[in-house]
Structure formats: structure tokens, C-alpha cells
Amino acid sequence: NAGVTQTPKFQVLKTGQSMTLQCAQDMNHNSMYWYRQDPGMGLRLIYYSASEGTTDKGEVPNGYNVSRLNKREFSLRLESAAPSQTSVYFCASSRDRLGEQYFGPGTRLTVT
Amino acid sequence: AQTVTQSQPEMSVQEAETVTLSCTYDTSESDYYLFWYKQPPSRQMILVIRQEAYKQQNATENRFSVNFQKAAKSFSLKISDSQLGDAAMYFCAWVPSYGKLTFGQGTILTVHP
């Protein structure tokens, strides 16, 4: 039982490049989330998926897209990376919208 | 806008002593949940304790307990018998019935031996 896994752990991109962050959970959770964490700030919600087949914007969705591929997997895509997207990205899942969220180990992304 | 405020950017405590971390939130919702998460240097987010707003009784988990004051919109975390392993960033978080979790800015806790 791995919980929530994220790949990659580290990534460096040049401005304008694209990439997809992968997230998978093996807890049969319905809801999944993507957050970013910047220095001196708490986690901010980018997008979430309350259930398979649905996605909704969070607090800071601009510059990102998501795909809930199936119940297990929820990916985050940066189409044209910008230096302002340098951050640590966390994926999380929960049984339902109000349940305890379990977090992945995070991806440190640097955009130069 | 729904906000969560942690007014203490940093706190410190001596090992075996007690420390309280503050959190206030602003909402017009009546049905919601509150959480404290711990983030050690490993960066892993770990749930410490959870409180349902409809419950009057304060939640406790071993050495961790909360003081939930619904009318005052206050949700503080008390850590008793502090241990070196408690050193971390602590985040207060709030989620309403429609399910968007909002985090506070965090409090860095240092534990001195």
C-alpha cells in the first residue's frame, strides 16, 4: 500500500516548456487534489476532482490543466511553463470531499 | 472570502513543555471541518488532528488536543510533553461542506532540548 505517489520528485524546465506531473493513489479514494506550496505560504489549491469524471478550479488554476484519467490517477499539466510556476507541487486524495486528505511526497519544480 | 489565519510565524518550546499554536478562520458556513497538519523537513504533509464543527467536544489525539471555539472562529492546537520530533511547520486548514480545503500560512515550531 503505497498511498499517494507522485512523479517526478524534481524537475527543471526552461520557460515555455511543457510537462505533466503524475499522481496516483491506491486507497480507492474518490477525491483528488493538486496544490502548490511557495515559500512563506501555505498550500494553495490549483485544481481538484471531487469524483472520477469531474474536475473543478481551485484558488490558483491559471496556467494549469488537469486530467482525472481514472479513479486512481490525476495529472497536472503545465502547457507553457513560467518562472512564476516555480514551486513545490503536492497531490492529495481523500475518501470524499470532507475526509482527511493524504498527501504525496511533493514535486519540486524550477522554471528558469 | 474564506480565510484561515495563523498569527504566529514561529514558536519555540522546551522539550517536555507545552505549547499552543493559534488559528482563526473566517466563514459564514455552519457546516465545516478543521484540521491541523504537520510538515517536517521531509516535506511530507501529515494529519495531526481533525475537528468537526458540529461537535462541541474538543478533539484529542494522544499529546495533541485542540481548543475549538466556534463562536470566536478559533481553533488552537496544544502540544503537551513536546518532543524533538514535533519540530515542524504546522498548518491549520478548513474545509466547508462543498469541499475546498483552505490552509493557513503555517507556524514553524522549534523544540529545544
Side-chain angles (χ1 to χ4, degrees), chain B:
Chain B
Q2 326 283 7
T3 59
V4 179
T5 302
Q6 294 178 248
S7 59
Q8 306 152 317
E10 298 183 31
M11 291 285 284
S12 64
V13 64
Q14 291 293 132
E15 198 175 4
E17 299 287 307
T18 296
V19 64
T20 299
L21 308 184
S22 301
C23 174
T24 59
Y25 56 95
D26 183 20
T27 181
S28 56
E29 301 286 329
S30 59
D31 185 18
Y32 52 88
Y33 293 72
L34 296 157
F35 303 87
W36 277 97
Y37 281 89
K38 169 185 177 181
Q39 187 179 40
S42 67
R43 225 169 51 193
Q44 182 70 47
M45 294 287 287
I46 303 163
L47 179 71
V48 174
I49 201 163
R50 164 186 167 138
Q51 174 80 45
E52 291 89 345
Y54 63 85
K55 289 187 177 179
Q56 294 187 343
Q57 186 174 6
N58 289 325
T60 63
E61 284 289 340
N62 301 314
R63 297 182 295 107
F64 298 88
S65 61
V66 299
N67 183 3
F68 174 47
Q69 302 286 332
K70 190 171 184 179
K73 296 180 183 176
S74 170
F75 181 60
S76 60
L77 175 69
K78 185 170 84 170
I79 306 173
S80 304
D81 185 25
S82 296
Q83 301 176 357
L84 295 177
D86 294 334
M89 176 84 89
Y90 286 80
F91 292 99
C92 176
W94 166 91
V95 61
S97 57
Y98 52 85
K100 285 189 184 181
L101 193 65
T102 300
F103 284 86
Q105 307 92 318
T107 297
I108 298 172
L109 178 65
T110 302
V111 181
H112 298 289

Side-chain angles (χ1 to χ4, degrees), chain A residues 5-6 12 16 27 32 38 50 65 74 89-90 94 99 110-111:
Chain A
T5 57
Q6 292 182 235
V12 179
M27 295 174 282
M32 297 186 74
D38 300 309
N65 285 300
F74 188 39
Y89 291 84
F90 287 94
S94 61
T110 302
V111 183

Side-chain angles (χ1 to χ4, degrees), chain A residues 44-97:
Chain A
R44 292 184 292 168
L45 183 65
I46 304 171
Y47 270 95
Y48 69 104
S49 171
S51 60
E52 187 179 356
T54 68
T55 60
D56 283 290
K57 295 179 181 179
E59 182 185 353
V60 288
N62 291 344
Y64 305 95
N65 285 300
V66 291
S67 295
R68 183 75 183 266
L69 304 169
N70 48 54
K71 192 171 186 178
R72 288 187 65 248
E73 298 172 289
F74 188 39
S75 63
L76 177 72
R77 183 160 177 83
L78 287 71
E79 290 290 352
S80 179
S84 61
Q85 294 178 306
T86 293
S87 189
V88 178
Y89 291 84
F90 287 94
C91 177
S93 72
S94 61
R95 178 176 49 85
D96 54 41
R97 289 178 305 173

